[in-house]
């Protein structure tokens, strides 16, 4: 049985790769992606060390709470899955909003990632925040919004101004077994090396550990583009 698990932000809509699959219409049967993910979990190699961590590029995206959903899309509206994401339970929704900042420019069609959260948040790359006129949104974990910058979300039914803009901390999703296998158990942060023509080392990469997680590093588009990475590439954790 597939359990509902904590959502993780993940690649939303970068179109640089073919990893995500468009969701089939809900016909009551299990989604093929969920089945594949369950199989991956069950056949995950035992003692063999994982050599690389797959990359998930997180294009700018947002999360909304119930109250904002009512304002943006109408009372009682729900997010509908467009595509399931690599981390179990997370999905890119069919629903978009526009995000407006102090320069009165809008970033249009910012994908909402579901399920619905208990907070409003938009995760931007620095390039996005410059376009909007935001002075460097803080680099934060998802949900840590104490000093997030104000922006206006615009939906088809209404608008709401919220302290919601952050740049996401670089992070890697791992299960507890993965941390042992990769020799990083007990650590909260690592450095990650990227090979290739645009190779570099990412520092301050936070480890997020949960039984439900599948190994994946989440980078924003600025970081990924600087290193020439796309979804499905792999990187190495520095010893
Ligand atoms: Zn993530």
């Amino acid at each position: 049985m597939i359990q509902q698990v904590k959502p993780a932000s993940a690649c939303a809509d970068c179109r640089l790769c073919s990893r995500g699959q468009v969701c089939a219409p809900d016909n009551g049967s299990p989604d093929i992606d969920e089945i594949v993910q369950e199989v991956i979990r069950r056949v995950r190699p035992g003692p063999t060390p994982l050599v690389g961590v797959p990359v998930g590029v997180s294009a700018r995206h947002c999360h909304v709470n119930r109250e904002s959903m009512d304002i943006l899309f109408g009372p009682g509206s729900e997010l509908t899955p467009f595509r399931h994401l690599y981390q179990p339970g997370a999905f890119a929704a069919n629903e978009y909003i526009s995000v407006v900042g102090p320069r009165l420019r809008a970033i249009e069609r910012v994908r909402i990632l579901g399920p619905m959260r208990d907070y409003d948040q938009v995760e931007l790359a620095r390039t996005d925040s410059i376009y909007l006129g935001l002075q460097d949104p803080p680099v934060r974990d998802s949900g840590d919004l104490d000093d997030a910058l104000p922006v206006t979300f615009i939906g088809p039914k209404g608008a709401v101004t919220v302290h919601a803009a952050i740049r996401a901390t670089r992070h890697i999703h791992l299960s507890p077994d993965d941390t042992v296998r990769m020799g990083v158990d007990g650590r909260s942060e690592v450095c990650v090396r990227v090979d290739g023509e645009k190779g570099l080392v990412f520092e301050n990469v936070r480890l997020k550990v949960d039984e439900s997680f599948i190994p994946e590093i989440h980078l924003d588009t600025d970081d990924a583009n600087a290193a020439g990475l796309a979804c499905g590439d792999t990187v190495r954790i520095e010893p």
Side-chain angles (χ1 to χ4, degrees), residues 1 8 27 33-34 39-40 46 50-51 57 69 79-80 95 100-101 115 121 125 151 190 200 212 225 239:
M1 193 61 204
N27 58 9
D33 289 333
E34 292 182 23
V39 170
I40 290 170
L50 289 168
V51 290
V57 181
M69 192 73 198
L79 296 174
T80 56
E95 288 73 22
V100 176
Q121 177 171 286
V151 288
V190 294
L200 49 72
S212 70
N225 289 339

Side-chain angles (χ1 to χ4, degrees), residues 94-106:
N94 287 303
E95 288 73 22
Y96 296 101
I97 58 169
S98 289
V99 177
V100 176
R103 293 177 82 179
L104 301 184
R105 286 171 165 176

Side-chain angles (χ1 to χ4, degrees), residues 8-10 171 173 208 218:
S9 62
H171 61 273
H173 294 264
K208 295 189 178 184
H218 284 169

